[in-house]
mmCIF file of all heavy atoms in Angstrom:
data_model
loop_
_atom_site.group_PDB
_atom_site.id
_atom_site.type_symbol
_atom_site.label_atom_id
_atom_site.label_comp_id
_atom_site.label_asym_id
_atom_site.label_seq_id
_atom_site.Cartn_x
_atom_site.Cartn_y
_atom_site.Cartn_z
ATOM 1 N N THR A 118 -16.076 6.040 -3.415
ATOM 2 C CA THR A 118 -15.540 6.302 -4.735
ATOM 3 C C THR A 118 -14.040 6.574 -4.629
ATOM 4 O O THR A 118 -13.275 6.022 -5.436
ATOM 5 C CB THR A 118 -16.197 7.540 -5.390
ATOM 6 O OG1 THR A 118 -17.630 7.280 -5.376
ATOM 7 C CG2 THR A 118 -15.728 7.760 -6.762
ATOM 8 N N LEU A 119 -13.629 7.393 -3.679
ATOM 9 C CA LEU A 119 -12.175 7.661 -3.484
ATOM 10 C C LEU A 119 -11.412 6.396 -3.280
ATOM 11 O O LEU A 119 -10.300 6.215 -3.865
ATOM 12 C CB LEU A 119 -11.973 8.639 -2.341
ATOM 13 C CG LEU A 119 -12.539 10.059 -2.588
ATOM 14 C CD1 LEU A 119 -12.520 10.917 -1.292
ATOM 15 C CD2 LEU A 119 -11.698 10.780 -3.631
ATOM 16 N N ILE A 120 -11.853 5.527 -2.416
ATOM 17 C CA ILE A 120 -11.176 4.260 -2.137
ATOM 18 C C ILE A 120 -11.154 3.313 -3.423
ATOM 19 O O ILE A 120 -10.088 2.836 -3.760
ATOM 20 C CB ILE A 120 -11.821 3.523 -0.929
ATOM 21 C CG1 ILE A 120 -11.560 4.279 0.359
ATOM 22 C CG2 ILE A 120 -11.178 2.121 -0.784
ATOM 23 C CD1 ILE A 120 -12.263 3.667 1.530
ATOM 24 N N SER A 121 -12.299 3.155 -3.956
ATOM 25 C CA SER A 121 -12.402 2.287 -5.143
ATOM 26 C C SER A 121 -11.513 2.759 -6.274
ATOM 27 O O SER A 121 -10.965 1.914 -7.033
ATOM 28 C CB SER A 121 -13.839 2.143 -5.565
ATOM 29 O OG SER A 121 -14.623 1.562 -4.522
ATOM 30 N N ALA A 122 -11.438 4.056 -6.465
ATOM 31 C CA ALA A 122 -10.635 4.642 -7.579
ATOM 32 C C ALA A 122 -9.146 4.542 -7.214
ATOM 33 O O ALA A 122 -8.322 4.450 -8.186
ATOM 34 C CB ALA A 122 -11.039 6.102 -7.841
ATOM 35 N N MET A 123 -8.808 4.537 -5.940
ATOM 36 C CA MET A 123 -7.406 4.555 -5.595
ATOM 37 C C MET A 123 -6.800 3.154 -5.598
ATOM 38 O O MET A 123 -5.617 2.999 -5.887
ATOM 39 C CB MET A 123 -7.239 5.171 -4.155
ATOM 40 C CG MET A 123 -5.841 5.254 -3.595
ATOM 41 S SD MET A 123 -4.696 6.174 -4.716
ATOM 42 C CE MET A 123 -5.405 7.780 -4.639
ATOM 43 N N PHE A 124 -7.590 2.164 -5.314
ATOM 44 C CA PHE A 124 -7.070 0.759 -5.240
ATOM 45 C C PHE A 124 -7.444 0.037 -6.490
ATOM 46 O O PHE A 124 -8.574 -0.033 -6.901
ATOM 47 C CB PHE A 124 -7.535 0.071 -3.997
ATOM 48 C CG PHE A 124 -7.048 0.583 -2.682
ATOM 49 C CD1 PHE A 124 -7.568 1.687 -2.063
ATOM 50 C CD2 PHE A 124 -5.879 0.003 -2.088
ATOM 51 C CE1 PHE A 124 -7.085 2.183 -0.871
ATOM 52 C CE2 PHE A 124 -5.359 0.496 -0.942
ATOM 53 C CZ PHE A 124 -5.941 1.596 -0.334
ATOM 54 N N PRO A 125 -6.502 -0.738 -7.045
ATOM 55 C CA PRO A 125 -6.829 -1.625 -8.200
ATOM 56 C C PRO A 125 -7.702 -2.780 -7.782
ATOM 57 O O PRO A 125 -7.765 -3.084 -6.584
ATOM 58 C CB PRO A 125 -5.407 -2.117 -8.658
ATOM 59 C CG PRO A 125 -4.584 -2.043 -7.439
ATOM 60 C CD PRO A 125 -5.082 -0.844 -6.648
ATOM 61 N N PRO A 126 -8.345 -3.481 -8.754
ATOM 62 C CA PRO A 126 -9.309 -4.537 -8.409
ATOM 63 C C PRO A 126 -8.685 -5.585 -7.436
ATOM 64 O O PRO A 126 -9.481 -6.027 -6.540
ATOM 65 C CB PRO A 126 -9.636 -5.097 -9.722
ATOM 66 C CG PRO A 126 -9.436 -3.941 -10.704
ATOM 67 C CD PRO A 126 -8.337 -3.169 -10.138
ATOM 68 N N ARG A 127 -7.534 -5.998 -7.562
ATOM 69 C CA ARG A 127 -7.011 -7.069 -6.775
ATOM 70 C C ARG A 127 -6.794 -6.622 -5.325
ATOM 71 O O ARG A 127 -6.621 -7.536 -4.480
ATOM 72 C CB ARG A 127 -5.661 -7.539 -7.339
ATOM 73 C CG ARG A 127 -4.511 -6.517 -7.254
ATOM 74 C CD ARG A 127 -3.253 -7.082 -7.873
ATOM 75 N NE ARG A 127 -2.148 -6.063 -7.822
ATOM 76 C CZ ARG A 127 -1.992 -5.084 -8.635
ATOM 77 N NH1 ARG A 127 -2.809 -4.955 -9.645
ATOM 78 N NH2 ARG A 127 -0.963 -4.246 -8.475
ATOM 79 N N GLN A 128 -6.778 -5.314 -5.035
ATOM 80 C CA GLN A 128 -6.603 -4.887 -3.676
ATOM 81 C C GLN A 128 -7.828 -4.300 -3.001
ATOM 82 O O GLN A 128 -7.854 -3.987 -1.803
ATOM 83 C CB GLN A 128 -5.571 -3.708 -3.627
ATOM 84 C CG GLN A 128 -4.121 -4.140 -4.052
ATOM 85 C CD GLN A 128 -3.153 -2.998 -4.074
ATOM 86 O OE1 GLN A 128 -3.494 -1.886 -4.389
ATOM 87 N NE2 GLN A 128 -1.941 -3.244 -3.546
ATOM 88 N N ARG A 129 -8.875 -4.133 -3.771
ATOM 89 C CA ARG A 129 -10.049 -3.416 -3.193
ATOM 90 C C ARG A 129 -10.787 -4.230 -2.164
ATOM 91 O O ARG A 129 -11.272 -3.651 -1.220
ATOM 92 C CB ARG A 129 -11.076 -3.162 -4.375
ATOM 93 C CG ARG A 129 -10.640 -2.133 -5.343
ATOM 94 C CD ARG A 129 -11.763 -1.571 -6.212
ATOM 95 N NE ARG A 129 -11.208 -0.854 -7.353
ATOM 96 C CZ ARG A 129 -11.485 -1.228 -8.617
ATOM 97 N NH1 ARG A 129 -12.397 -2.155 -8.875
ATOM 98 N NH2 ARG A 129 -10.971 -0.483 -9.564
#
Side-chain angles (χ1 to χ4, degrees):
T118 303
L119 290 168
I120 292 174
S121 297
M123 180 58 62
F124 289 86
R127 67 182 181 276
Q128 294 180 322
R129 288 195 198 126

